[in-house]
Amino acid sequence: MKKLRVFKGAVFCIIFTMVIAGCSTNNTKSLHSEASPGQTTQTQNTLEENTIVKGNLFHGFYNPKIDGKGKMLPLQYNGGELTLDYSVRASGDAKNVGFLIFVDGKPQPYKLNKTAASYQYMHTIQVKEDDQDTPFTFLFTPIIGKSGDNLHISIVSMYNPSFLPDMKETTSYGGYQTTLETGTELIFNQDTEMLDIAALSQQEGLSNVHQSTEPVTEDLLKKHSVMEKVDVEALEKRVFSDLSVNGETKQDNFKVDKSGKLKITFKLFGHPEVRYRNTFYINHKALASEEVSSFETVLSKGNAVVVDAEIELDKLEDFNTFYVVSVPVNANDFPDDVIIVQKTPSLLLYK
């Protein structure tokens, strides 16, 4: 029997005028939608002139159950560890890929291929051959869910997560570590078993977390008007994120002290009424504050949601990859809009 796949793909590119400019979270769309189930909405992504395609990345559910119309059926949770068959196909520079999983917007640690494997928030896969399917299996006990719930699972790939600037030959991530998302629904036929997330792979280190709102200013709009102008009208349909450390906006690296605390300010603004869960990551592990690893925010017209926090520097390594992932949890409420996972550019925190 032919194996069915639900794939979502992206093309990674280099723009001549930059060191490496990938397709950012805000403009990464599905360039190719493969397979019979046809779950993915096909969107044309117009590449800039003077670009070179450096690789392709596709990933999706492997041999999913489908209904009579060829649509993928929701997953079913019946207790114990959930087994999710998946596949990735890549070429060129896109063959190092990592995966993050979210259940109802909350970061989900998982095992890869073996029940005896360790729970981690991210596992990486090195695809050996160009354009060849590499099947594998996610295994995990959902961290949330009760009998009767229907929750969304988001599977987010990250391009070249192993890359880390060394401040000698390289000082930035360039276009590396951009994301591509796919997902499906998970129906709970019984309550999930509670996992001790902190004991598995959660990393403490966030403190003094405070959430607030503030008006979106002209300066903030101008700051995000890089490739195209961002105005008030754009905020009705699109979502933007902003990250600063110690009051400075950095796109590449930031030197930190060996001890003390680093002040982080994260802003999310745009499409009104979209609800997000935001997770801070250090070295691809979710950062927690008093056992909370994600922070819920609801966007409102004309305002930015602000999450202020501090990172304890003595818990960091000498070189650290830092970013924030925001997962929409009510995207189905806006069927005519493209509501996707947001990720800030990876930032190197080094001592």
Side-chain angles (χ1 to χ4, degrees):
M1 181 175 67
K2 183 179 179 180
K3 298 290 185 182
L4 296 176
R5 304 165 181 82
V6 179
F7 276 112
K8 195 168 186 178
V11 170
F12 294 94
C13 52
I14 288 184
I15 300 178
F16 286 134
T17 56
M18 299 178 68
V19 178
I20 299 178
C23 306
S24 73
T25 304
N26 288 337
N27 62 17
T28 299
K29 307 296 183 184
S30 174
L31 298 179
H32 305 84
S33 181
E34 234 185 62
S36 310
Q39 173 181 325
T40 305
T41 300
Q42 190 166 352
T43 306
Q44 180 66 39
N45 186 6
T46 304
L47 297 178
E48 299 291 328
E49 294 183 1
N50 299 327
T51 64
I52 300 176
V53 174
K54 298 295 290 183
N56 297 286
L57 173 64
F58 302 84
H59 61 87
F61 299 94
Y62 192 74
N63 199 29
K65 294 181 179 180
I66 60 174
D67 61 18
K69 297 181 180 180
K71 183 179 179 181
M72 181 177 170
L73 293 170
L75 301 174
Q76 304 284 329
Y77 180 71
N78 298 304
E81 282 191 330
L82 180 69
T83 299
L84 199 164
D85 293 326
Y86 213 72
S87 182
V88 62
R89 184 168 76 244
S91 66
D93 290 351
K95 287 186 289 188
N96 178 254
V97 57
F99 289 95
L100 299 171
I101 298 179
F102 301 87
V103 178
D104 199 34
K106 294 187 175 183
Q108 171 70 60
Y110 65 94
K111 302 175 183 178
L112 192 67
N113 290 330
K114 300 178 181 179
T115 56
S118 62
Y119 268 102
Q120 297 180 32
Y121 281 104
M122 176 184 283
H123 290 269
T124 60
I125 293 175
Q126 185 66 45
V127 178
K128 295 181 179 180
E129 299 183 17
D130 285 351
D131 299 318
Q132 296 295 318
D133 290 341
T134 301
F136 58 93
T137 302
F138 297 121
L139 301 100
F140 59 88
T141 300
I143 59 170
I144 187 175
K146 295 183 178 181
S147 180
D149 284 349
N150 184 349
L151 303 180
H152 189 76
I153 292 183
S154 298
I155 299 175
V156 180
S157 67
M158 186 177 297
Y159 162 50
N160 202 6
S162 301
F163 179 79
L164 186 69
D166 58 10
M167 293 305 297
K168 295 179 180 179
E169 296 183 1
T170 57
T171 60
S172 73
Y173 294 85
Y176 293 152
Q177 303 194 359
T178 54
T179 57
L180 181 69
E181 174 199 10
T182 190
T184 190
E185 304 304 309
L186 174 60
I187 295 176
F188 287 79
N189 298 318
Q190 69 176 65
D191 294 356
T192 186
E193 301 173 7
M194 297 302 295
L195 291 177
D196 184 356
I197 300 301
L200 295 175
S201 57
Q202 189 165 281
Q203 180 174 249
E204 295 183 358
L206 278 183
S207 61
N208 297 327
V209 179
H210 175 70
Q211 294 184 224
S212 61
T213 60
E214 64 181 32
V216 174
T217 63
E218 287 296 328
D219 287 342
L220 187 60
L221 293 177
K222 184 178 180 180
K223 179 180 178 180
H224 287 267
S225 299
V226 181
M227 300 298 293
E228 58 182 314
K229 182 179 180 180
V230 177
D231 54 20
V232 175
E233 184 178 352
L235 302 187
E236 293 296 315
K237 295 294 183 180
R238 298 173 60 189
V239 176
F240 301 85
S241 61
D242 189 83
L243 182 64
S244 61
V245 290
N246 282 356
E248 299 182 46
T249 299
K250 294 289 186 178
Q251 297 292 333
D252 42 22
N253 59 74
F254 189 80
K255 185 174 177 59
V256 300
D257 296 330
K258 293 186 177 181
S259 61
K261 294 185 178 182
L262 179 71
K263 293 183 179 180
I264 302 295
T265 299
F266 170 72
K267 298 180 182 180
L268 194 69
F269 58 99
H271 196 307
E273 305 305 322
V274 179
R275 185 160 55 97
Y276 281 88
R277 286 199 170 108
N278 311 281
T279 304
F280 291 65
Y281 285 87
I282 287 286
N283 298 327
H284 312 302
K285 294 182 180 180
L287 272 178
S289 172
E290 296 179 351
E291 299 183 356
V292 176
S293 58
S294 60
F295 307 92
E296 186 167 319
T297 56
V298 181
L299 302 185
S300 60
K301 186 178 180 67
N303 294 313
V305 177
V306 183
V307 180
D308 290 301
E310 294 180 337
I311 293 179
E312 299 172 21
L313 294 174
D314 58 356
K315 296 182 181 295
L316 299 186
E317 299 175 10
D318 289 341
F319 289 81
N320 307 271
T321 297
F322 174 61
Y323 54 85
V324 183
V325 178
S326 303
V327 182
V329 295
N330 64 338
N332 290 338
D333 294 344
F334 309 94
D336 297 329
D337 301 326
V338 180
I339 310 294
I340 61 174
V341 166
Q342 303 283 323
K343 174 188 172 291
T344 62
S346 293
L347 177 67
L348 176 70
L349 302 178
Y350 71 101
K351 297 181 178 180

